[in-house]
Amino acid sequence: MKQQLIRAKLLHFPTASAQPDTDVVWYRDGAIVVSEDKIVAIGEFATIRRNYPDARLRDYSQYWVMPGLIDSHLHFPQTEMLACYGEQLLNWLEQYTFPTERRFEDKTYAEAMAGVFLRQLFKNGTTTGLVYPTVHSTSVDALFTAATDINMAMITGKVCMDTNSPENLSDTPQIAAAESERLIQKWHNKGRNLYALTPRFAPTSSREQLAVLGELASQYEDVFIQTHLSENKKEIAWVNSLFPERNGYLDVYDHYGLVRPRAVFGHCVHLTDNEWQRMAEAQATIAFCPTSNLFLGSGLFPIQRAREYNVPVTLATDVGAGTTFNLFRTYGEGYKVCQLQQQRLSPLEGLYLITQGAACAHQLSHSIGNLNPGTYADFIVVEPRFCELTEHRLKSQETPEDVLFALAMLSDDRAIIETWVAGKPQYKRQEKY
Ligand SMILES: [Zn+2]
């Protein structure tokens, strides 16, 4: 296939950064070259055009191209239950989540919903997700199959829960171990797929189940681990009563070998000093989910502490307790959560946390999260001035900060024109606003 030259305003973070505000790289008139599924060059348009005279030009010079976004925590089966009214975490699980998740045992249903789910991701510019399916292996197969069909980087794995969960949504330690291992062998590192061991959260896994998952985590060192941690105070009290022998919530996971790099903990709103320390030592990752924390009234994530302790943080939607698939808006809510605590979260740091910062936390920056040559051509084409209001807001200046903050506060999926995955457009906006 002929090489493609994408001309646009470019914005990305080429390296790991503790200072996104100064380490950002952008081009007012830039270009990337896509060959097959990878980016092979980036630079000023004039230079790139000279070096690649035969590449097919796609002119997006009025628009911005950024890396495809990475959502580090969301629930595939909860796509259809966004915006269910009015409960806190534990009742919300009982009342809405568990009944919905039962449907995913059915292969046809799971496959149909995988299509819906991926379309929502792409419409919002997300090209990689750390995704919770359900306890059923059918839901894992449905997601990996849909992702494989389009060469997308998918990170997911069977949810494990064997206690304090409805009978028809429960497995056992033996089933969790056998199915997780079978699915690792079937999917992990096959194409762009990556497996994540997925105990839902400590209250729904027995000691035996956590132990077998810990064994798999040590046996398969590069698989991900994803779970929830310290989301809500009642939940923490419950964990303490279920595991009185452990020194707090994180120590439950730690005891079973589930705290390490590539372990991604959703929420972490109420960590203790010891837990912050331990997260830093282990270089485990936090997925900060502001819309979900506000929706369920869980609390305000203190991002400043993560910076002080040097714990890797990403931003994530946590759909369906989160209220949008849109990571720019999710950053906007994260900004407000920080405002309430007199803490700072700049637009550039926001973009970093949903692109290169997430890729670095997940040890994937060689392949996603930036526009560097050698990475997969996963990127988005963004029209920040998509409507009358944003046209006016951005008419006098269009710096990266202005653009990102307008995307966070005034925008939605209408600003995403195209989403490319592995060198092919998987989503094109139909209407012009
Ligand atoms: Zn969650």
Side-chain angles (χ1 to χ4, degrees):
M1 198 167 71
K2 202 167 180 179
Q3 288 181 326
Q4 304 185 74
L5 192 156
I6 316 288
R7 179 183 190 180
K9 301 167 197 185
L10 305 178
L11 178 59
H12 80 143
F13 301 89
T15 58
S17 170
Q19 304 289 341
D21 287 343
T22 49
D23 292 343
V24 67
V25 168
W26 72 290
Y27 299 85
R28 201 177 291 278
D29 186 11
I32 55 173
V33 178
V34 174
S35 184
E36 302 288 337
D37 53 359
K38 300 272 176 58
I39 295 173
V40 294
I42 180 171
E44 296 292 347
F45 169 71
T47 314
I48 295 283
R49 178 81 274 189
R50 241 188 341 268
N51 294 343
Y52 293 87
D54 299 327
R56 178 181 162 201
L57 175 67
R58 288 180 183 258
D59 193 344
Y60 298 118
S61 47
Q62 299 305 306
Y63 306 131
W64 290 77
V65 162
M66 307 178 198
L69 309 180
I70 301 167
D71 192 338
S72 297
H73 181 123
L74 77 169
H75 298 256
F76 151 54
Q78 296 174 18
T79 305
E80 60 193 280
M81 48 169 286
L82 245 81
C84 285
Y85 175 74
E87 294 290 347
Q88 295 216 336
L89 174 66
L90 301 176
N91 322 59
W92 181 84
L93 286 172
E94 287 288 334
Q95 193 170 341
Y96 300 117
T97 311
F98 292 150
T100 309
E101 292 195 358
R102 276 184 205 126
R103 299 186 195 131
F104 287 75
E105 187 172 10
D106 180 71
K107 183 169 180 279
T108 311
Y109 191 80
E111 285 172 356
M113 288 310 292
V116 175
F117 178 73
L118 292 194
R119 281 195 293 282
Q120 289 302 315
L121 293 186
F122 299 151
K123 199 175 176 201
N124 287 281
T126 299
T127 53
T128 293
L130 270 83
V131 183
Y132 290 64
T134 66
V135 73
H136 317 102
S137 299
T138 44
S139 70
V140 182
D141 285 332
L143 266 184
F144 275 135
T145 302
T148 303
D149 286 347
I150 54 170
N151 199 15
M152 170 195 183
M154 172 62 70
I155 307 168
T156 190
K158 178 191 131 51
V159 171
C160 300
M161 49 182 183
D162 67 342
T163 184
N164 297 313
S165 49
E167 203 176 322
N168 51 6
L169 273 181
S170 298
D171 56 12
T172 64
Q174 294 71 29
I175 293 170
E179 280 298 278
S180 298
E181 184 157 30
R182 183 181 70 78
L183 291 164
I184 288 171
Q185 289 171 356
K186 182 173 180 185
W187 294 112
H188 184 57
N189 286 329
K190 301 289 158 50
R192 300 182 71 190
N193 297 313
L194 293 160
Y195 196 82
L197 295 165
T198 310
R200 178 176 216 112
F201 68 150
T204 53
S205 284
S206 64
R207 291 167 181 75
E208 296 72 25
Q209 181 165 84
L210 292 169
V212 295
L213 293 175
E215 279 166 33
L216 287 174
S218 67
Q219 196 181 334
Y220 297 93
E221 281 180 7
D222 69 337
V223 299
F224 285 78
I225 298 160
Q226 57 179 354
T227 190
H228 298 81
L229 174 63
S230 289
E231 177 173 0
N232 160 306
K233 288 192 173 161
K234 273 192 192 154
E235 170 213 18
I236 297 168
W238 191 25
V239 172
N240 290 338
S241 71
L242 290 169
F243 297 90
E245 75 281 17
R246 300 268 62 91
N247 184 23
Y249 197 161
L250 180 64
D251 190 47
V252 174
Y253 297 129
D254 207 6
H255 178 75
Y256 294 103
L258 296 167
V259 182
R260 61 154 167 77
R262 281 198 167 177
V264 183
F265 294 94
H267 307 301
C268 300
V269 176
H270 308 284
L271 295 184
T272 64
D273 288 340
N274 286 343
E275 289 174 330
W276 280 109
Q277 188 67 46
R278 179 63 192 130
M279 288 290 287
E281 274 167 21
Q283 283 296 290
T285 299
I286 295 173
F288 167 28
C289 308
T291 70
S292 167
N293 296 158
L294 294 170
F295 182 73
L296 292 175
S298 301
L300 305 175
F301 174 71
I303 199 165
Q304 189 53 34
R305 304 212 76 192
R307 295 184 187 119
E308 286 159 12
Y309 279 94
N310 190 27
V311 176
V313 173
T314 62
L315 266 166
T317 64
D318 194 25
V319 159
T323 49
T324 176
F325 275 91
N326 190 292
L327 279 163
F328 291 118
R329 287 210 80 107
T330 301
Y331 154 67
E333 296 304 293
Y335 168 84
K336 295 175 193 168
V337 165
C338 293
Q339 285 286 76
L340 282 167
Q341 303 171 90
Q342 284 76 52
Q343 297 178 9
R344 186 168 187 272
L345 186 57
S346 75
L348 286 167
E349 186 173 1
L351 179 66
Y352 180 74
L353 296 182
I354 55 178
T355 57
Q356 176 75 332
C360 291
H362 305 321
Q363 303 176 344
L364 290 170
S365 60
H366 58 283
S367 92
I368 57 171
N370 56 68
L371 302 173
N372 294 336
T375 60
Y376 279 92
D378 293 355
F379 62 86
I380 55 177
V381 184
V382 182
E383 181 188 26
R385 304 179 190 209
F386 71 93
C387 68
E388 188 179 23
L389 185 59
T390 51
E391 178 82 39
H392 281 280
R393 167 65 184 81
L394 296 168
K395 74 181 161 205
S396 57
Q397 50 181 356
E398 204 179 325
T399 65
E401 287 90 341
D402 283 309
V403 164
L404 293 168
F405 212 54
L407 287 171
M409 296 297 167
L410 302 176
S411 184
D412 51 46
D413 54 357
R414 291 172 294 168
I416 311 287
I417 296 188
E418 291 183 9
T419 299
W420 287 53
V421 176
K424 291 194 183 133
Q426 288 298 338
Y427 167 76
K428 287 192 183 211
R429 193 184 69 187
Q430 297 302 317
E431 294 160 67
K432 171 81 185 146
Y433 291 91

